[in-house]
Amino acid sequence: CNAVLSRDTIVIPADDHNYVPEVKEATCTDGGYTTYTCSGCADSYIADVVDALGHDIKVIEGKAPTCTETGLTAGEYCGRCDIVFVAQTTVPATGHDYEESVTAPTCTEAGYTTYTCSACGDSYTTDEVAAKGHSYNAVVTEPTCTDKGYTTYTCSVCGDSYKSDETAAKGHEYGDWYTTVEPTEITEGEERRDCAVCGAYETNVLPKLGLPEDAPQISTKNYDIMLTNADTIYAIRYVKGTYTTASEIKKAEGCVSLSASKIASFTKDGVCTLTMKDGGVYSVWVKTTEGKEYIYHADLSYMEQEVTADGVTVTVHNLYGVKDFFIAPGDYNTYSEVKANYLVNVTSAKIGTAHDFTYVVKNPGMHTVYIRYQDSNRPATILKIMLTVDEPTFNGNGLQFTVGNLKDVKVIRTAYGEYKTPGDVKRAEGQRSFAGSSRALAGKTEFTIQYRTNGLVTVAVVYHNGYQVMYYYNVEQKVPSFVQNGNTVTFGQLDDLNVIRYAEGKYTTSAQIKAAEGSKVLKSSAMIDGYITITLEPGTYTFCVQYFDESYNYYTVTVEEPEPEDPYPGYGKDYTITFDPMGGELPEGVSPVYGINYGENYLAATGIDIPVPTLEGYEFDGWYWPAYNYWLSSGDWNGGWFAVNMDVVFEAQWVEA
């Protein structure tokens, strides 16, 4: 029916503009701005206006023209919009500016003119002029007795020269031979002839006249001069150097004179042997009992070296003229081998004027000595020697250490600790030394060192021949096994036992025990199967177990009065089972002795599992009953039984870890 029942008015708000910016960038000549346009109705407006940027002027460097290339002027342009404000133009090349230099011709080379550009250095040559050639002058050199004659041609312009037109040497014009030095019985003479032209001369050796048969004959060996027929010699003078007369020898510095009695002291089997302090050439004057005089020259410049040894002490003999020598352990045949392995290089500075040089090496065996000489023309000498020594013997026994094979021993040193050399031992605190010449070592082939405390010791043995031996010994006091079972004590591990002393009371030394009233002593003869068992009356006792190495072990044992009501003293059982750890330790809480009845198994008797003792450096290998060759098994321990009818002692067995 189209009736209007109600009417309301609704106001719809207008939408906001959605402006989109569009930026126009500024240029060199125009400003910039942003246009904002509504995406809905296209309404727009301009904002964010900026000024024009202006031109960015850039300068283009010009280029100067060269002799052969054009140049450019400087220019300008905008680095932003590329507009050119000043254009570059071409500058023409300048061309060369040549200067001339004239080189005159020489005797052998042509002349020419050099043209060089002063701007760029370009050059070229032209206008060549021919060489002039040499202008030689001649000078004649006449021949002599020994030199040829010739003509020398020298250019007066440049000095060039050459020789030509040779003539033969004339040769000497010698006169007759005449004697300049008369020969003697022991020295050679000399004759001479002279050239009448140049004064040159020739000489010949005139032979010695020879010694008479009864004259002393001279010979040399290393530093020794030997004269025969010494019983006919009345006097001798000798000096280092070469002299030809008795007067020169007598007046020479260092001349030694020997009387007949002194000569006799140097003589054996008719030969007088004189040992010189140094090598070299010596002049010797000899006068016989008949008044005859002779002069000799003995050359000790060349010596043969020898090498000797005493143990590891090496001595090289006859060292005159030696530059140096090397000692190397081993057998070598070349310098490179010796140099690579040598122990010492002894130089002439160390040798000085000594005839011999001694050096102590470390070890025996083959050694090579390589000798070089002051005379570089003399080849090197290689000597070889085998070094042998008597090795000492060593034997440790608890607190004692015995060194054997002591022939020629110099000293034995010892100290607690580990040391590398005998010198280190000597400087150690508490060190002891025993000299080979002392009463302790003299005449003995072996020596025993007594120690008192456990620990590592170093023993150094030094021989007179330089040989040294270092030995290390771990001193360990001998200790017995000890078990007390009621009123009995049992000692084991008694190898090398000296005595067991004991007495009632408390004592601190073996001497006190020995002097005590009722003191008793047991020797190794009292051992049964390696053990000594002692039954004691009630009381307190002191035991000393003494070994031959002077290991002393003290034990204080107390035996209590037995309880009257206990028919089995100590345990109330038929028998006892004893666990001897043999130097080890039982686990905490485990007793060394338990009671056991006949037919009772071990587990029930002790109430514990099989005990496992410990010993440093060893592993436990089981319990062993030596009397019956019986090893204790876990089966017997836990459930089995062993029909004992005596006390049982199990010993711990050990193997090294």
Side-chain angles (χ1 to χ4, degrees):
C1 64
N2 296 322
V4 178
L5 300 178
S6 66
R7 184 185 301 274
D8 292 319
T9 300
I10 300 173
V11 179
I12 301 174
D15 293 334
D16 290 335
H17 289 294
N18 181 25
Y19 289 108
V20 178
E22 182 179 357
V23 179
K24 181 180 181 301
E25 302 290 344
T27 67
C28 295
T29 56
D30 297 325
Y33 55 86
T34 301
T35 301
Y36 293 88
T37 304
C38 179
S39 62
C41 65
D43 179 67
S44 67
Y45 66 92
I46 294 174
D48 306 326
V49 177
V50 295
D51 294 334
L53 300 176
H55 290 296
D56 180 16
I57 303 301
K58 302 291 185 181
V59 176
I60 303 174
E61 296 288 339
K63 177 185 176 185
T66 67
C67 298
T68 57
E69 296 180 352
T70 60
L72 289 172
T73 61
E76 294 182 357
Y77 72 98
C78 177
R80 188 176 292 110
C81 67
D82 295 330
I83 294 176
V84 177
F85 296 101
V86 179
Q88 287 184 291
T89 59
T90 301
V91 180
T94 59
H96 291 297
D97 180 16
Y98 286 109
E99 296 178 350
E100 69 176 32
S101 175
V102 177
T103 300
T106 67
C107 297
T108 57
E109 296 181 354
Y112 52 87
T113 300
T114 303
Y115 293 89
T116 304
C117 177
S118 61
C120 69
D122 180 71
S123 67
Y124 66 93
T125 60
T126 187
D127 307 329
E128 189 173 296
V129 180
K132 294 179 178 180
H134 291 296
S135 176
Y136 287 110
N137 295 325
V139 176
V140 176
T141 299
E142 297 295 336
T144 67
C145 297
T146 56
D147 298 325
K148 296 178 180 180
Y150 53 87
T151 300
T152 303
Y153 294 89
T154 305
C155 177
S156 61
V157 178
C158 69
D160 178 72
S161 67
Y162 67 94
K163 294 178 181 179
S164 185
D165 308 329
E166 286 188 352
T167 56
K170 294 179 178 180
H172 291 297
E173 295 183 12
Y174 284 116
D176 295 332
W177 292 96
Y178 60 96
T179 300
T180 56
V181 178
E182 294 290 343
T184 69
E185 294 172 329
I186 61 171
T187 60
E188 295 172 332
E190 182 187 80
E191 64 178 359
R192 167 174 163 168
R193 64 177 183 171
D194 303 316
C195 176
V197 177
C198 68
Y201 62 89
E202 291 180 332
T203 62
N204 279 331
V205 174
L206 297 176
K208 300 176 186 178
L209 299 180
L211 292 170
E213 292 183 1
D214 60 347
Q217 302 295 316
I218 192 169
S219 61
T220 64
K221 182 178 181 181
N222 298 321
Y223 287 94
D224 293 337
I225 298 174
M226 286 78 74
L227 289 162
T228 63
N229 298 335
D231 54 342
T232 68
I233 299 175
Y234 173 74
I236 296 175
R237 291 193 184 104
Y238 64 86
V239 68
K240 188 175 182 179
T242 303
Y243 303 95
T244 57
T245 68
S247 176
E248 289 177 345
I249 294 173
K250 183 178 181 180
K251 293 178 181 179
E253 184 179 356
C255 176
V256 177
S257 298
L258 301 177
S259 64
S261 60
K262 197 68 174 178
I263 295 169
S265 68
F266 296 135
T267 298
K268 182 179 180 180
D269 297 330
V271 178
C272 177
T273 300
L274 307 175
T275 300
M276 302 297 106
K277 291 183 178 180
D278 198 8
V281 176
Y282 285 79
S283 297
V284 183
W285 170 82
V286 174
K287 184 176 183 180
T288 68
T289 53
E290 295 179 352
K292 295 181 180 180
E293 297 183 13
Y294 303 97
I295 294 176
Y296 305 87
H297 293 115
D299 190 353
L300 307 183
S301 300
Y302 186 94
M303 297 189 185
E304 295 288 345
Q305 284 67 50
E306 300 174 1
V307 60
T308 59
D310 178 15
V312 292
T313 299
V314 179
T315 301
V316 183
H317 304 271
N318 308 323
L319 295 175
Y320 180 78
V322 171
K323 175 185 176 183
D324 64 356
F325 66 86
F326 298 83
I327 300 176
D331 188 344
Y332 306 111
N333 296 305
T334 66
Y335 173 74
S336 60
E337 290 176 322
V338 172
K339 186 65 183 296
N341 297 280
Y342 75 95
L343 292 173
V344 64
N345 173 219
V346 180
T347 64
S348 57
K350 294 179 181 178
I351 296 170
T353 59
H355 292 193
D356 314 312
F357 192 94
T358 297
Y359 184 80
V360 179
V361 302
K362 186 174 182 181
N363 296 312
M366 178 64 74
H367 282 68
T368 301
V369 180
Y370 189 94
I371 304 171
R372 300 190 295 185
Y373 299 95
Q374 303 283 2
D375 180 0
S376 58
N377 293 320
R378 183 176 177 182
T381 297
I382 296 178
L383 302 175
K384 300 179 182 180
I385 189 167
M386 176 63 75
L387 309 184
T388 59
V389 297
D390 292 328
E391 294 284 355
T393 61
F394 302 104
N395 182 34
N397 180 30
L399 295 179
Q400 293 180 340
F401 186 78
T402 301
V403 183
N405 203 4
L406 299 181
K407 181 182 178 181
D408 198 38
V409 72
K410 181 179 181 182
V411 67
I412 298 174
R413 302 186 189 278
T414 185
Y416 280 89
E418 185 174 350
Y419 304 96
K420 300 299 183 184
T421 68
D424 293 340
V425 178
K426 183 179 180 180
R427 291 183 290 272
E429 182 178 356
Q431 72 88 26
R432 290 183 290 163
S433 297
F434 309 96
S437 58
S438 67
R439 182 179 299 177
L441 291 183
K444 294 184 178 179
T445 59
E446 66 177 23
F447 178 71
T448 298
I449 306 171
Q450 182 69 54
Y451 300 94
R452 295 301 178 191
T453 58
N454 292 348
L456 179 68
V457 296
T458 300
V459 180
V461 183
V462 181
Y463 290 86
H464 283 290
N465 62 23
Y467 189 46
Q468 302 175 354
V469 179
M470 307 294 293
Y471 196 90
Y472 305 96
Y473 174 61
N474 193 24
V475 177
E476 187 173 358
Q477 178 177 338
K478 294 187 176 183
V479 179
S481 64
F482 169 76
V483 175
Q484 180 181 356
N485 183 5
N487 67 336
T488 65
V489 292
T490 300
F491 294 98
Q493 297 178 220
L494 299 177
D495 289 346
D496 201 37
L497 176 69
N498 183 2
V499 295
I500 297 177
R501 297 185 188 279
Y502 69 97
E504 188 171 3
K506 291 185 178 181
Y507 307 99
T508 57
T509 68
S510 176
Q512 290 175 347
I513 297 172
K514 183 178 181 180
E517 184 178 355
S519 173
K520 293 181 173 57
V521 60
L522 298 173
K523 297 186 177 181
S524 58
S525 58
M527 283 193 293
I528 299 175
D529 296 330
Y531 293 90
I532 292 179
T533 299
I534 304 164
T535 301
L536 302 170
E537 295 297 326
T540 298
Y541 299 83
T542 302
F543 284 80
C544 176
V545 181
Q546 179 179 341
Y547 293 83
F548 281 108
D549 73 332
E550 297 193 20
S551 291
Y552 292 84
N553 299 272
Y554 293 92
Y555 301 87
T556 300
V557 176
T558 298
V559 177
E560 302 291 346
E561 289 285 349
E563 296 183 8
E565 68 276 8
D566 190 349
Y568 301 100
Y571 301 98
K573 296 290 183 79
D574 296 340
Y575 305 107
T576 59
I577 174 172
T578 300
F579 296 99
D580 183 356
M582 301 297 288
E585 292 185 5
L586 292 169
E588 186 175 353
V590 174
S591 172
V593 181
Y594 292 88
I596 186 169
N597 289 322
Y598 181 85
E600 188 176 19
N601 69 54
Y602 300 117
L603 177 60
T606 63
I608 62 171
D609 292 326
I610 296 179
V612 179
T614 58
L615 177 62
E616 184 176 354
Y618 292 84
E619 291 182 358
F620 179 60
D621 194 39
W623 293 104
Y624 179 66
W625 187 7
Y628 286 88
N629 192 26
Y630 169 70
W631 286 84
L632 180 60
S633 69
S634 59
D636 284 342
W637 180 269
N638 295 322
W641 60 275
F642 194 87
V644 296
N645 57 4
M646 65 182 69
D647 293 332
V648 179
V649 178
F650 286 114
E651 295 179 355
Q653 302 300 303
W654 302 101
V655 293
E656 289 187 355

